[in-house]
Amino acid sequence: MWEFLPHFLHQALFGAVAAAGFGVLFNFGLRALPWCAGAGALALMVRTGGQELAWSLEGASFAAAIITSCAVSALRRQLGPACNAVALAGCIPMVPGAFFGQALLGFFALTAPHPADAIDTFVNAAEHIIRVIFTLAAIGAGLAIPAQLLKNQDF
């Protein structure tokens, strides 16, 4: 397990930076930014751990979103009504932008006058967009389930 520690710490660092950046983008106060960073670090570490255990991207993202949402909900007294928004900011770095970009480029390639390997291009692009959709659904469900189970009425 120790050989994976640098990879986990790398994911945690960049997850924290990205989540704090989304906190700035969402106009969170300075007091909430460290919590966003912590949520992002936790989310990407859990997702990375799931993928190291050979889980799918979608399954690992679902588990990471549930764990992050539960952890942030436990800090409800410190965060107040913003706890669900902090969990969301922590999970946004898990959105698979590379898959979405590959899907868009594949679909754009199909608009050429005479696309080469149109069927293969379409299948590849469709596969990528389906992975994006299922990963987004997994993140959304992972954030919503704890909020509903823990009776957070301000979600």
Side-chain angles (χ1 to χ4, degrees), residues 18-33:
F22 282 112
V24 169
L25 184 68
F26 294 160
N27 204 22
F28 287 179
L30 286 176
R31 187 177 72 85
L33 292 181

Side-chain angles (χ1 to χ4, degrees), residues 31-151:
R31 187 177 72 85
L33 292 181
W35 295 109
C36 290
L42 175 64
L44 281 179
M45 282 184 64
V46 171
R47 186 185 75 173
T48 302
Q51 288 182 305
E52 292 292 333
L53 294 172
W55 295 359
S56 67
L57 175 65
E58 297 83 0
S61 297
F62 177 71
I66 280 190
I67 290 170
T68 302
S69 185
C70 288
V72 171
S73 292
L75 300 170
R76 185 165 194 74
R77 288 197 175 166
Q78 288 86 0
L79 295 171
C83 73
N84 293 317
V86 169
L88 175 65
C91 288
I92 286 179
M94 292 192 300
V95 173
F99 284 138
F100 187 67
Q102 290 174 346
L104 284 179
L105 290 175
F107 288 130
F108 285 148
L110 292 174
T111 64
H114 301 288
D117 299 324
I119 293 174
D120 290 338
T121 302
F122 178 78
V123 168
N124 193 24
E127 181 180 314
H128 285 98
I129 200 70
I130 289 169
R131 291 205 68 189
V132 169
I133 290 168
F134 281 122
T135 303
L136 289 175
I139 293 169
L143 288 170
I145 289 171
Q148 292 300 313
L149 290 178
L150 297 173
K151 304 288 186 207

